[in-house]
């Protein structure tokens, strides 16, 4: 019997090599697995040019867990988030901020209309208490690609910080976190990189991550704690999705062999 082909944004149909990579069992404390984690993180950073300024923090769970971790860590309890909403994932980021009791304001556009950088600039000028801007790079629910570079430019000019959900663009479209001064960029294993579901990751500016110590509302989603522990031991803090990491390693190998992005 033939398996159905998944044409969804992710999880999607994976290659035989990616599936085969999950036939090995890994001990979560073993140095071989630690090397696997480190090499995956190195490549993820490299793909978006984050090697010097940024770090990669992996997070167990689906992409939403990583978005929630990023908001909960990087937006301090005294901060205020402006979310640019044009579909389901923008709305989800607003909902996350509300759950975490972070002050949140919304700039909403119609499903077929990307946000305007001029409007964002005006909103920031009119409200100096906005500390962070949240953007969905590609709004998967509508297919709209939002103007990341233009938004990043006005956010930087206003001296605020930018958090980008790049779940369905990471690996497929060019993103330069250093040049765009992106505070945090979030994606997961099972979208354009064509791994299997089970982990997300946050590519975050190292200084911003260090400055966020103590902000996290959640033990399991504390990115600083996860990063510190990885630095100190090479290990994830709690049981890692070992087979998912191995599959992502294989998917990245295939991605790089095919020429990357
Ligand atoms: C897939 C996706 C997410 C994460 O959704 P999960 O169901 O948690 O994997 C978040 N944002 C965007 C834009 C997505 O495409």
């Amino acid at each position: 019997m033939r398996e159905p082909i998944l044409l969804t944004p992710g999880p999607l149909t994976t290659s035989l090599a990616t599936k085969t990579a999950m036939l090995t069992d890994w001990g979560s404390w073993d140095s071989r697995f630690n090397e696997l984690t480190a090499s995956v993180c190195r490549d993820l950073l490299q793909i978006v040019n984050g090697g010097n300024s940024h770090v990669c923090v992996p997070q167990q769970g689906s992409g939403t867990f990583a978005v929630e971790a990023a908001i909960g860590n990087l937006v301090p309890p005294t901060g205020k988030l402006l979310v640019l909403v044009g579909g389901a994932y923008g709305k989800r980021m607003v909902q996350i901020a509300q759950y975490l009791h972070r002050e949140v304001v919304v700039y909403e556009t119609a499903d077929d209309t990307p946000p305007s950088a001029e409007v964002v600039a005006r909103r920031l000028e009119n409200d100096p208490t906005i500390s962070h801007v949240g953007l969905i790079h590609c709004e998967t629910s509508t297919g709209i690609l939002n103007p990341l570079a233009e938004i990043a430019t006005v956010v930087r000019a206003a001296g605020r910080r930018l958090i980008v959900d790049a779940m369905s663009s990471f690996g497929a479209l060019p993103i330069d976190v250093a040049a765009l001064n992106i505070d945090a960029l979030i994606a997961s294993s099972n979208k354009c990189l064509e791994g299997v579901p089970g982990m997300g990751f946050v590519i975050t500016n190292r200084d911003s991550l260090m400055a966020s110590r103590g902000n996290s509302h959640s033990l399991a989603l504390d990115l600083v704690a996860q990063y510190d522990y990885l630095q100190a031991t090479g290990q994830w803090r709690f049981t890692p999705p070992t087979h998912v990491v191995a599959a992502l390693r294989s998917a990245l190998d295939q991605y790089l062999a095919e020429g990357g992005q």
Side-chain angles (χ1 to χ4, degrees):
M1 210 186 79
R2 271 175 50 179
E3 281 182 55
I5 296 171
L6 301 180
L7 298 172
T8 40
L12 36 66
T13 294
T14 55
S15 71
L16 182 60
T18 300
K19 289 183 178 74
T20 306
M22 292 185 286
L23 294 178
T24 303
D25 298 313
W26 301 78
S28 60
W29 294 353
D30 292 351
S31 57
R32 280 178 60 239
F33 181 72
N34 297 346
E35 284 158 24
L36 200 65
T37 298
S39 82
V40 164
C41 285
R42 252 194 322 271
D43 284 355
L44 294 174
L45 263 179
Q46 183 69 39
I47 287 170
V48 292
N49 189 36
N52 294 320
S53 47
H54 288 62
V55 296
C56 170
V57 189
Q59 170 65 54
Q60 297 94 328
S62 80
T64 302
F65 290 63
V67 177
E68 186 160 327
I71 304 287
N73 278 258
L74 295 166
V75 180
T78 54
K80 185 174 185 176
L81 179 67
L82 168 65
V83 182
L84 314 187
V85 176
Y89 290 104
K91 288 184 180 140
R92 188 176 299 175
M93 193 185 275
V94 173
Q95 202 182 8
I96 289 171
Q98 288 168 339
Y99 257 77
L100 304 186
H101 303 297
R102 297 299 192 268
E103 205 177 336
V104 58
V105 283
V106 173
Y107 162 29
E108 187 159 6
T109 50
D111 279 2
D112 60 355
T113 310
S116 137
E118 291 91 271
V119 171
V120 174
R122 209 154 50 236
R123 292 284 298 258
L124 296 178
E125 195 181 313
N126 291 342
D127 186 350
T129 65
I130 294 170
S131 57
H132 292 73
V133 174
L135 173 70
I136 315 299
H137 187 201
C138 175
E139 178 48 79
T140 319
S141 62
T142 62
I144 292 285
L145 180 65
N146 287 316
L148 173 59
E150 285 90 331
I151 303 282
T153 302
V154 301
V155 172
R156 174 183 231 166
R160 318 301 168 81
R161 301 185 174 281
L162 182 61
I163 296 175
V164 181
D165 171 349
M167 214 69 62
S168 63
S169 56
F170 191 101
L173 296 168
I175 302 173
D176 187 323
V177 291
L180 296 178
N181 200 36
I182 293 172
D183 222 36
L185 185 87
I186 308 125
S188 70
S189 51
N190 62 280
K191 295 258 165 95
C192 303
L193 295 174
E194 302 185 14
V196 302
M199 65 171 278
F201 51 89
V202 182
I203 307 287
T204 171
N205 179 278
R206 188 188 286 104
D207 297 338
S208 299
L209 181 68
M210 289 303 122
S212 78
R213 198 177 291 281
N215 285 349
S216 181
H217 59 292
S218 160
L219 172 71
L221 300 179
D222 188 334
L223 290 179
V224 184
Q226 179 90 313
Y227 180 70
D228 283 348
Y229 199 74
L230 270 163
Q231 287 292 105
T233 66
Q235 298 163 13
W236 301 48
R237 261 180 329 153
F238 310 123
T239 301
T242 49
H243 295 71
V244 175
V245 180
L248 183 56
R249 177 63 269 161
S250 171
L252 283 166
D253 289 340
Q254 296 161 68
Y255 171 85
L256 297 170
E258 287 168 2
Q261 185 181 286

